[in-house]
Amino acid sequence: MGEFELVIVGGGLAGLCAAVEAGEQGADVLLLEKEEDIGGSSVLSGRYMAFAGTNMQQDQGMEDSSSTLVEDMLEVGGRVNDEKLVAAYGELQLDTYNWLVDHGIHFLSIQAVSGHSVPRGHTIDSHQAIQALYGHAAALPNVTIAVNSPVSRLGRGETGQVDQVYYEQVGKPQAAYADKGVVLTSGGFSHSKELLGHFAPHLKRTIRIGGPGNKGEGIKMAWEHGAWMRDIPYLSGTYGFHPTAEGPEKSQALAFYKGAIILNQKGKRFVNESLSYKLLGNAALREEEDSTYQIWDQTVMDQSVPGDKLYDFDKLLKKGLIKKADNLQELAALIGISPEALQLTVTEYNEGIEKGEDAFGRNTLTHHFGEPTQIRTAPFYAFETKVAMLATYAGLSVNPRAEVLNPYGEPVPGLFAAGEIAGGFHGAGYMTGSSLGKAAIFGRVAVKSALGKTLTKQ
Ligand SMILES: Cc1cc2nc3c(=O)[nH]c(=O)nc-3n(C[C@H](O)[C@H](O)[C@H](O)COP(=O)(O)OP(=O)(O)OC[C@H]3O[C@@H](n4cnc5c(N)ncnc54)[C@H](O)[C@@H]3O)c2cc1C
């Protein structure tokens, strides 16, 4: 059996941050990744990270703080998220942002996305970020990274501590001993028919996106050793994907956060478009048909952000995924909905916006941010939109030290978890960027806890 101080299971953002942190602390570490390539869902992601009070925000004159971020996260999460976990995110987020910058991650721009009362979606190039962290980890002599190495079970020694990791390499069974603990960073279960079937049958109609290896194996391994779960009732899809996103191109548009309206196939609105896209997903799944439409005008189109995964509307138009017409009647014909219904909906929406009395209570673009505009400037646009299951967010019960907890709130000795596998952070809603954010923050926290280091800001 190979002997290490720490074994990390899964090589996405959380696992790589953990590996770099552990390696730099001088620990002997093994990182095991099931797939041929590292990166998991992290590398596929929309690439927003939620940080507050950064030098980038200050340079752009944006006022934000950890406390505003924490308040937004709790409000968006319906205050059923774990306050202690959210507080720990708030306490450690700026330090982690600076740590990522110091480790070569390039932050490119800032946008307001779901749940942001201040623009705080710091964009990264996810490939660049993963490669930079991988480069740091691989350069450390005390860090071993093994791909094509699926972990299947964990074992406990005589002391009761989880310290054995069973995995395969090239089809051969292997085992490793982890003296100071095992850190689970194996992501969520968006690709597990079994777990989604058990816990979220209401999401059957969603399209499935996410890291191919994300089948919830780490969660099962932790259950075997007594772990409890958080946020299962709030499992939800994400609104905003084109039906073709099930394929290799994850085409997504969040025009509703720039002022588009959302309609069902009867041509009627059914939701306040400024809500978290998780809540929009829940609302869309209550509609009869699988597809709904985002409708907008040239005023919104002018806010297309070149190269952005959520807001590059011009690119989606060029690909033929957005329909365009000179008037609403033609647009309705292109997408097969009643022209009269579309015209009526837009007229009523425009009147509501003018009077500040929207029928669904919309008075911002996204969470407390931005002013909606009327839909009246030709040409007009439509984007067929579905709900996708791309990240599960419900997961293992953990405390702010990233220790995995049993149903009585007691740590399972030797077992730590970080990233999407951990529950409790998001509650009933979701703030964009907080999943990559928590992966980076708590990947490092898990290592520090296992090694007995201080968790506060450095
Ligand atoms: C299309 C898309 C867009 C997204 N956009 C955003 C965004 O803009 N902002 C945001 O914050 N979040 C976003 N998310 C969610 C976010 O990307 C994930 O929640 C986050 O990357 C999870 O990081 P992680 O390190 O925990 O897991 P992952 O990055 O998924 O890594 C887990 C790794 O563990 C490996 N693994 C699994 N099981 C085993 C096993 N048994 N043995 C060994 N290895 C195993 C997997 O193969 C994988 O490589 C998005 C997700 C998707 C799919």
Side-chain angles (χ1 to χ4, degrees), residues 13-14 33-34 41-42 46 48 151 214 217 420 430 435-436:
L13 184 67
E33 166 56 47
K34 167 181 164 181
S41 282
S42 303
Y48 286 89
V151 176
N214 292 16
E217 287 147 10
E420 197 179 313
Y430 174 67
S435 192
L436 289 172

Side-chain angles (χ1 to χ4, degrees), residues 9-15 32-35 37-49 149-152 185-188 209-211 213-215 217-218 221 241 250 252 277 390-391 393 418-421 430 432-437 439:
V9 181
L13 184 67
L32 295 167
E33 166 56 47
K34 167 181 164 181
E35 300 290 313
D37 295 315
I38 53 158
S41 282
S42 303
V43 92
L44 301 174
S45 76
R47 70 195 195 147
Y48 286 89
M49 298 189 78
S149 302
V151 176
S152 50
T185 51
S186 51
I209 312 181
N214 292 16
K215 298 191 171 159
E217 287 147 10
M221 288 178 229
F241 288 86
K250 310 290 171 220
Q252 190 180 8
Y277 46 37
L390 54 89
Y393 301 141
E420 197 179 313
I421 192 174
Y430 174 67
T432 301
S434 57
S435 192
L436 289 172

Side-chain angles (χ1 to χ4, degrees), residues 237-284:
T238 297
Y239 186 78
F241 288 86
H242 193 265
T244 54
E246 226 161 353
E249 287 267 356
K250 310 290 171 220
S251 298
Q252 190 180 8
L254 270 50
F256 45 90
Y257 290 147
K258 299 280 186 192
I261 53 172
I262 297 174
L263 307 187
N264 62 20
Q265 299 204 14
K266 294 185 187 73
K268 295 205 156 136
R269 286 174 71 216
F270 52 89
V271 71
N272 171 350
E273 293 85 353
S274 71
L275 295 179
S276 155
Y277 46 37
K278 292 274 174 191
L279 301 181
L280 297 180
N282 292 343

Side-chain angles (χ1 to χ4, degrees), residues 97-296:
Y97 169 82
N98 290 327
W99 183 89
L100 290 168
V101 172
D102 291 345
H103 285 79
I105 281 66
H106 302 152
F107 287 97
L108 307 168
S109 65
I110 304 179
Q111 292 284 338
V113 204
S114 176
H116 295 188
S117 62
V118 179
R120 69 166 71 94
H122 292 66
T123 62
I124 52 170
D125 171 337
S126 40
H127 288 271
Q128 188 274 333
I130 291 294
Q131 279 310 320
L133 290 166
Y134 175 78
H136 276 283
L140 290 161
N142 45 333
V143 177
T144 307
I145 299 179
V147 294
N148 287 319
S149 302
V151 176
S152 50
R153 303 283 278 261
L154 305 176
R156 291 184 189 228
E158 282 171 10
T159 59
Q161 179 183 319
V162 174
D163 58 8
Q164 295 143 36
V165 179
Y166 298 94
Y167 63 105
E168 273 188 15
Q169 238 166 18
V170 210
K172 285 205 182 122
Q174 309 277 344
Y177 176 72
D179 183 38
K180 298 226 161 86
V182 175
V183 181
L184 290 172
T185 51
S186 51
F189 50 98
S190 60
H191 276 292
S192 169
K193 272 192 186 157
E194 183 199 6
L195 295 185
L196 284 175
H198 278 311
F199 297 124
H202 59 289
L203 297 175
K204 206 170 177 183
R205 289 202 290 162
T206 57
I207 56 177
R208 304 287 155 90
I209 312 181
N214 292 16
K215 298 191 171 159
E217 287 147 10
I219 289 177
K220 283 186 166 182
M221 288 178 229
W223 282 341
E224 185 178 11
H225 295 282
W228 189 239
M229 290 288 280
R230 296 291 305 267
D231 290 347
I232 286 285
Y234 310 113
L235 271 166
S236 45
T238 297
Y239 186 78
F241 288 86
H242 193 265
T244 54
E246 226 161 353
E249 287 267 356
K250 310 290 171 220
S251 298
Q252 190 180 8
L254 270 50
F256 45 90
Y257 290 147
K258 299 280 186 192
I261 53 172
I262 297 174
L263 307 187
N264 62 20
Q265 299 204 14
K266 294 185 187 73
K268 295 205 156 136
R269 286 174 71 216
F270 52 89
V271 71
N272 171 350
E273 293 85 353
S274 71
L275 295 179
S276 155
Y277 46 37
K278 292 274 174 191
L279 301 181
L280 297 180
N282 292 343
L285 288 174
R286 285 193 290 270
E287 294 301 309
E288 251 169 58
E289 314 284 345
D290 286 353
S291 281
T292 56
Y293 288 93
Q294 297 179 55
I295 304 286
W296 65 92

